């Protein structure tokens, strides 16, 4: 009877050793190659256009922000993102919005999308801050760009990530100039 147990023990031991080796290989692969990583997203205001500004006889403002959103995907799988939403705010109130359709960044690749946001002059003029800032000729705006999506590695390992990039820009409409944008980025993983 002891002779029958010996081949069974050897077989079970070999299967256990193979399972341990496979687990070690998959763990090493996960931590070195397959581990999902969040994408790196940056958004910058690459240009502003002031085509009209007047306070008298009636207020007029034609202002457009050009925002470039760049994403780098460090994963070995494509990163699929939903609609990219860019909102322009004047003292916290939304005065313009642009939506870029959903898309995909390939594995270990970069992509850039651009959004053009036209500012709603009526919203700016109705702000209680506008009379003083309009006369002073300096209008502070904030752009906020949101990107959210997921990467799926081997159809099993998933990572969801979202990024919000906020930029502050002061527009001098009389001189048709702007300050360099000051941007901050926040990434949420999970």
């Amino acid at each position: 009877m002891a002779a029958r147990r010996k081949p069974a023990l050897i077989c079970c031991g070999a299967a256990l050793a193979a399972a341990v080796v496979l687990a070690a290989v998959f763990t090493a692969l996960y931590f070195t190659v397959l581990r999902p990583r969040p994408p790196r997203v940056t958004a910058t205001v690459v240009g502003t256009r002031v085509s009209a500004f007047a306070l008298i006889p009636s207020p007029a403002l034609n202002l457009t922000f050009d925002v470039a959103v760049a994403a780098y995907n460090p994963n070995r799988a494509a990163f699929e993102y939903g609609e990219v939403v860019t909102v322009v705010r004047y003292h916290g109130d939304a005065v313009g919005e642009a939506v870029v359709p959903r898309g995909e960044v390939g594995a270990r690749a970069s992509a850039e999308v651009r959004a053009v946001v036209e500012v709603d002059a009526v919203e700016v003029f109705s702000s209680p801050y506008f009379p003083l800032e309009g006369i002073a000729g300096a209008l502070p705006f904030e752009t906020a760009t949101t990107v959210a999506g997921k990467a799926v590695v081997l159809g099993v390992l998933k990572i969801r990530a979202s990024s919000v990039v906020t930029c502050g820009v002061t527009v001098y409409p009389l001189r048709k100039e702007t300050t360099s944008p000051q941007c901050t980025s926040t990434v949420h993983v999970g």
Side-chain angles (χ1 to χ4, degrees):
M1 193 159 196
R4 288 187 193 160
R5 286 189 187 165
K6 194 171 186 179
L9 284 175
I10 292 173
C11 185
C12 287
L16 181 62
V20 168
V21 168
L22 283 174
V25 167
F26 282 122
T27 302
L29 278 174
Y30 176 79
F31 284 112
T32 58
V33 178
L34 301 175
R35 179 176 49 112
R37 296 170 183 88
R40 284 179 234 131
V41 179
T42 58
T44 54
V45 178
V46 293
T48 56
R49 289 187 303 275
V50 180
S51 55
F53 179 71
L55 295 173
I56 301 172
S58 63
L61 175 66
N62 289 340
L63 175 61
T64 304
F65 285 91
D66 294 324
V67 179
V69 181
Y72 171 70
N73 177 19
N75 295 296
R76 294 192 180 267
F79 179 77
E80 299 171 2
Y81 59 87
E83 293 180 332
V84 178
V85 179
T86 300
V87 177
V88 174
R89 294 186 180 97
Y90 179 67
H91 289 283
D93 296 328
V95 295
E97 179 176 296
V99 178
V100 176
R102 63 182 53 239
E104 178 177 288
V105 181
R108 294 189 164 195
S110 297
E112 181 176 284
V113 295
R114 290 190 176 242
V116 177
V117 185
E118 292 186 19
V119 172
D120 183 356
V122 174
E123 292 292 325
V124 174
F125 296 145
S126 64
S127 170
Y129 300 99
F130 179 75
L132 288 176
E133 292 173 347
I135 291 170
L139 305 174
F141 289 95
E142 177 185 84
T143 66
T145 303
T146 305
V147 180
K150 66 179 177 179
V152 180
V153 180
L154 296 176
V156 178
L157 307 171
K158 294 181 185 178
I159 184 168
R160 293 188 188 282
S162 64
S163 177
V164 177
V165 182
T166 307
C167 299
V169 179
T170 302
V171 176
Y172 302 96
L174 294 172
R175 299 185 304 206
K176 297 187 179 183
E177 295 177 357
T178 62
T179 59
S180 296
Q182 303 295 319
C183 299
T184 58
S185 179
T186 306
V187 177
H188 302 282
V189 179

